[in-house]
Amino acid sequence: MALFTSAKNTFGRPQKLGQTMHRAGLVQQMQRAMSSEALEGYDATQVELMKENLIVCDEQDNVVGKCSKKEGHLRSFLDKENSLPHRAFSCFLFNEKNELLLQRRSSHKITFPNMWTNTCCSHPLYVKEEMADGPIPFQGVKTATVRRMDYELGLKNLFEEDLNMVSKILYRANTDEKWAEYELDFILFAKKHSDEFYFKANENEISHTEFVTRENILDFLETEVNTGESEITPWFNMILQTKLFGWWDHIIQTGELPPEDTSGHITNYIQGPDAIDAEKIPSIVEFKKRSIR
């Protein structure tokens, strides 16, 4: 297993070697955890993607090592006391009308299938180009976002320079009895004119797409939930109910993306003053009733 053993991690913050090796031992546990657990019955393409290596980090975003996508989402490991998160990203793409592109995850997805979420959600991989931090801030995560936006939506002219990394969040949520998320999630925003991009959803990843306005997003999601057509992914629901409208107002009022957050701050949705229980987060109906829109 490849590990970082230098005095600094990939984003330049000091890190003690002994601490790194201690955490690395936990990563080795992750890699062994339920390694024979079956994936029978799932879509073959999605099963293959579960072999990708993700970037395991601690709760302060210090890189510790790697694990497969499968190992990083098994509750049999994540329910353990010393489990570790992995890096992820959530991208929000707006058009010239300040409409946000949403996607509904396909039925083929292993985690959170058939749920509405933001434009694109995935992971930077444990490869050099997606772990780098230069020449632009958060280069690696932005490179991963561009890769997945192409893979999921067929977007060919979205570039790293189009993206602003506006926040990092730490959250935990269960899919079912077998799978879960424990992620340090980079939130990225982009805005492109409709004439600048053409997209066609990868049906193995996405079943539907929809542009929504600030005014109608809650109505749209409420209808989808009330008709029994779909639910909403927990990370999108958390962002929607805490941060999204403030960022959206900034875009509408200034015509610019929210500024990049280079402070290193991480909003911790697991514990502390910002904690949100993913199992108890208010429904869209409840949130809509108490929202000031």
Side-chain angles (χ1 to χ4, degrees), residues 14 44 50 61 67 175 208 227 233-234 263:
M50 294 296 262
D61 194 29
C67 71
T175 302
H208 297 85
T227 58
T233 61
S263 69

Side-chain angles (χ1 to χ4, degrees), residues 92-100 164 166 188-192 214 244-259:
F92 292 72
L93 176 63
F94 296 82
N95 63 17
E96 74 282 2
K97 300 177 184 178
N98 297 320
E99 296 170 328
L100 172 62
N164 275 11
V166 302
L188 298 110
F189 275 49
K191 185 175 181 179
K192 301 284 281 187
R214 189 197 186 284
L244 179 58
F245 287 109
W247 288 326
W248 210 331
D249 287 340
H250 178 92
I251 294 173
I252 293 170
Q253 292 166 10
T254 69
E256 303 290 336
L257 295 176

Side-chain angles (χ1 to χ4, degrees), residues 137-162:
F138 311 105
Q139 175 79 53
V141 172
K142 291 177 180 179
T143 296
T145 303
V146 169
R147 170 179 59 82
R148 285 296 298 191
M149 292 282 275
D150 183 9
Y151 179 75
E152 294 190 19
L153 290 159
L155 287 172
K156 301 296 184 184
N157 64 339
L158 181 74
F159 305 102
E160 287 90 346
E161 294 80 5
D162 295 323

Side-chain angles (χ1 to χ4, degrees), residues 80-226:
K80 295 181 183 297
E81 181 179 357
N82 290 321
S83 61
L84 293 164
H86 55 263
R87 283 183 182 166
F89 66 82
S90 294
C91 185
F92 292 72
L93 176 63
F94 296 82
N95 63 17
E96 74 282 2
K97 300 177 184 178
N98 297 320
E99 296 170 328
L100 172 62
L101 179 61
L102 302 183
Q103 65 152 283
R104 184 181 176 190
R105 293 161 67 87
S106 81
S107 61
H108 304 296
K109 300 291 284 185
I110 294 172
T111 59
F112 301 100
N114 299 311
M115 292 192 179
W116 282 99
T117 194
N118 48 282
T119 312
C120 181
C121 327
S122 191
H123 311 87
L125 301 181
Y126 192 87
V127 294
K128 181 178 179 180
E129 58 269 26
E130 297 191 9
M131 301 176 73
D133 188 29
I136 63 174
F138 311 105
Q139 175 79 53
V141 172
K142 291 177 180 179
T143 296
T145 303
V146 169
R147 170 179 59 82
R148 285 296 298 191
M149 292 282 275
D150 183 9
Y151 179 75
E152 294 190 19
L153 290 159
L155 287 172
K156 301 296 184 184
N157 64 339
L158 181 74
F159 305 102
E160 287 90 346
E161 294 80 5
D162 295 323
L163 296 162
N164 275 11
M165 202 297 291
V166 302
S167 184
K168 291 192 281 187
I169 66 172
L170 181 70
Y171 79 96
R172 165 71 198 259
N174 297 327
T175 302
D176 50 33
E177 294 302 313
K178 186 174 183 180
W179 304 103
E181 299 281 7
Y182 183 20
E183 296 186 329
L184 200 150
D185 196 7
F186 290 69
I187 313 303
L188 298 110
F189 275 49
K191 185 175 181 179
K192 301 284 281 187
H193 195 283
S194 298
D195 293 340
E196 295 182 279
F197 67 86
Y198 167 79
F199 71 90
K200 182 178 181 181
N202 177 345
E203 294 181 358
N204 188 256
E205 293 284 332
I206 299 170
S207 62
H208 297 85
T209 58
E210 186 80 19
F211 274 105
V212 294
T213 66
R214 189 197 186 284
E215 291 72 29
N216 77 1
I217 183 173
L218 295 182
D219 292 335
F220 172 77
L221 293 173
E222 180 185 26
T223 299
E224 290 294 304
V225 170
N226 283 346

Side-chain angles (χ1 to χ4, degrees), residues 55-74:
I55 304 166
V56 179
C57 59
D58 64 17
E59 295 82 0
Q60 290 74 47
D61 194 29
N62 296 304
V63 173
V64 176
K66 64 181 179 179
C67 71
S68 73
K69 185 177 177 182
K70 172 188 172 183
E71 291 158 344
H73 291 85
L74 280 172

